[in-house]
Amino acid sequence: MQFIFIISLIFAIPCHSLFILLPLYLYPGTSASAWSNVTAAIAADENVQWQIIVNPNSGPGTYPPDANYISAISKLNSYPNVVTVGYVATGYTQVSYESLTAQIDVYAQWASYPDADISVAGIFFDEVSNTATEE
């Protein structure tokens, strides 16, 4: 309910161009039912641009993702005002470079999935360090 209220507030704000970055970490459910409020908000105004971060399994998980994610991500990608981005956790610099690139490679494979458009247009790196080191 709070989510619907927040989305309603966003659409009540007068502006010429609105951009929303939404971390959508919730499991989509059957036929993307858990994401229906999000897709309704996306469809409500094509002038609002959305970047949606998807996170099937604290990263991409296995290829291909399960059928519910395939259906839901394909639906997101059908909207002209949506850019879908894949989630990768860096573990505050504790995740190895090899593991990070392997996760990115799995997301890259999504672009070649033959039965639906589940491609992602970018990667969101989370759990990054807030301090600089020489390493």
Side-chain angles (χ1 to χ4, degrees):
M1 189 59 138
Q2 289 178 352
F3 179 76
I4 295 171
F5 176 71
I6 291 169
I7 294 298
S8 298
L9 281 177
I10 289 170
F11 286 110
I13 299 169
C15 62
H16 298 295
S17 178
L18 183 63
F19 172 88
I20 297 171
L21 174 64
L22 179 66
L24 190 56
Y25 300 163
L26 138 96
Y27 187 75
T30 306
S31 301
S33 59
W35 293 4
S36 62
N37 290 336
V38 173
T39 54
I42 291 167
D45 188 346
E46 288 189 1
N47 293 315
V48 176
Q49 300 301 305
W50 295 75
Q51 279 196 351
I52 310 273
I53 304 168
V54 294
N55 183 13
N57 191 19
S58 294
T62 58
Y63 175 82
D66 79 32
N68 291 325
Y69 268 104
I70 290 170
S71 173
I73 293 168
S74 175
K75 185 169 185 170
L76 289 177
N77 286 341
S78 72
Y79 293 100
N81 55 332
V82 170
V83 174
T84 309
V85 180
Y87 176 93
V88 172
T90 67
Y92 302 97
T93 71
Q94 299 304 303
V95 177
S96 71
Y97 174 80
E98 291 76 17
S99 177
L100 294 174
T101 56
Q103 290 181 65
I104 294 166
D105 288 344
V106 172
Y107 280 123
Q109 282 182 294
W110 288 13
S112 62
Y113 185 74
D115 300 325
D117 178 9
I118 59 169
S119 62
V120 295
I123 302 296
F124 174 75
F125 292 103
D126 196 12
E127 299 178 353
V128 296
S129 177
N130 64 351
T131 59
T133 65
E134 292 185 22
E135 295 179 30

